[in-house]
Amino acid sequence: MYNLDEFMAELERKNPAQPEFIQAAKEVIESIIDVVNDNPAYLKAKILERITEPDRVFSFKVEWEDDNGEVQVNRGYRVQFNNAIGPYKGGLRFHPSVTLGTLKFLGFEQMFKNSLTTLPMGGGKGGSDFNPKGRSDAEILRFCRSFMTELQKYIGPETDVPAGDIGVGGREIGFMYGQYKRLKVENTGVLTGKGINWGGSLVRPEATGYGTMYFADEMVKANKDTMKGKTIAVSGFGNVAWGACIKGTELGAKVVAISGPDGYVYDEKGISTKEKWDYMLQLRASNKDIVAPYAEKFGAKFFPGKKPWELKVDMAFPCAFQNELNLADAKALIANGVKYVVETSNMGCTADAVTEFINKKIPFAPGKAANAGGVATSGLEMSQNAMKYSWSAEEVDAKLKTIMINIHSSCVQEGKDSGYINYVKGANIAGFKKVADAMLDLGY
Ligand code: 2IT
């Protein structure tokens, strides 16, 4: 029998100075420990020890030259967490905060998320402490080339299929795919998030944002409610926030806030026109990492240094970064009458914020369920690449929507708790069972 405190103490001892990994692991293990303790096969297989240890971890040096001719050195990683149900799959993050512990938390989450999609994908994550802020296109190209020169040794279309994450979008995937192709002389689905002219899937750029709104729509319906007329605060202004603004508007809601590291923008008219959405893409492409120019351009209000969780809104969608919404933010949202919280960033809320939402019976979706539309559509991109075929936007979108509806049903099935749906528990149990059962089938 497992004891939560004892297991976590040992996990911390084995993984010192990796607080994000420990946080992610604790959340999952808390949810699944009863399921594991009730199943002699899981206990005999030492399933918790095995599922918290990555299959392998690569760390490599990335050398490149900046525009001033100065040599730069970054560290690159790929964490291959678990491939019981399919090839390792998960994004690459380029951000100065990236450490091995960050990527272990993300790879661990990815394993359960990918399981929830119903597609055959294992969990992995990678990236670098490279900071794209202020870098020219030429510098980003040189960095990506050097990064892929190392990474290509460890990945492959049937082995490990990276994609984008924070700091890695279509441009970066293009530069990395170009280098992979140069070195391997093959056109395969080794990366997803590719451009539409060179093997990408329609709707992949929109998929995380669309998916979280499809999931939210199901949550709202489960409460006999509607998205129509709901006010929404979104954080972030990148690819995920962009897709969320588009689909939220299409579903009849009004997104009134987006944010950046510099503060948040409140647009009472709604971030609801193509011009505004296109401008968000321009902001991201500028590599400045600021959202303030949106307020100036569209006559909205800018609140420097603040987070949008102080607003009175019906729904909150953290779409930016881990632990971006803390206990004080959760209390402020609840005091202002928030009805639903849909975590869309990976581990976007601190553990005590999640507990607060659940204790106050606010429907709360965890990132690994709500943001799974991104990787699900990556899975659909892999299917299209394997078939040497491409589906129409309508076909991809319909499959994405069905997947999100099914993830919602899985969460309800495993997370129903006398009237309240505990989506955290539901997502963790549903995601875990499939991976654990596959591991038992495969032996060790
Ligand atoms: O966190 C995520 O699920 C992603 N960054 C997308 C991963 C993917 O392989 O599409």
Side-chain angles (χ1 to χ4, degrees), residues 372-420:
V375 73
T377 308
S378 278
L380 301 175
E381 183 172 332
M382 289 166 72
S383 309
Q384 294 169 83
N385 291 160
M387 288 190 291
K388 310 285 181 223
Y389 190 70
S390 49
W391 289 319
S392 68
E394 290 71 25
E395 284 170 295
V396 179
D397 193 33
K399 289 185 198 322
L400 166 63
K401 190 169 178 184
T402 305
I403 288 170
M404 296 315 296
I405 291 172
N406 290 339
I407 296 175
H408 183 269
S409 303
S410 304
C411 292
V412 173
Q413 196 179 327
E414 300 286 359
K416 228 186 205 146
D417 190 356
S418 55
Y420 176 72

Side-chain angles (χ1 to χ4, degrees), residues 89-92 106 110 113-114 125 161-166 192 204 208 346 371-372 374-376 378-379:
K89 180 85 197 87
L92 298 169
L106 289 162
Q110 198 80 44
K113 179 196 317 194
N114 294 4
K125 204 84 188 190
V161 182
D165 192 82
I166 292 166
T192 60
R204 177 64 189 89
T208 313
N346 291 307
N371 76 26
V375 73
S378 278

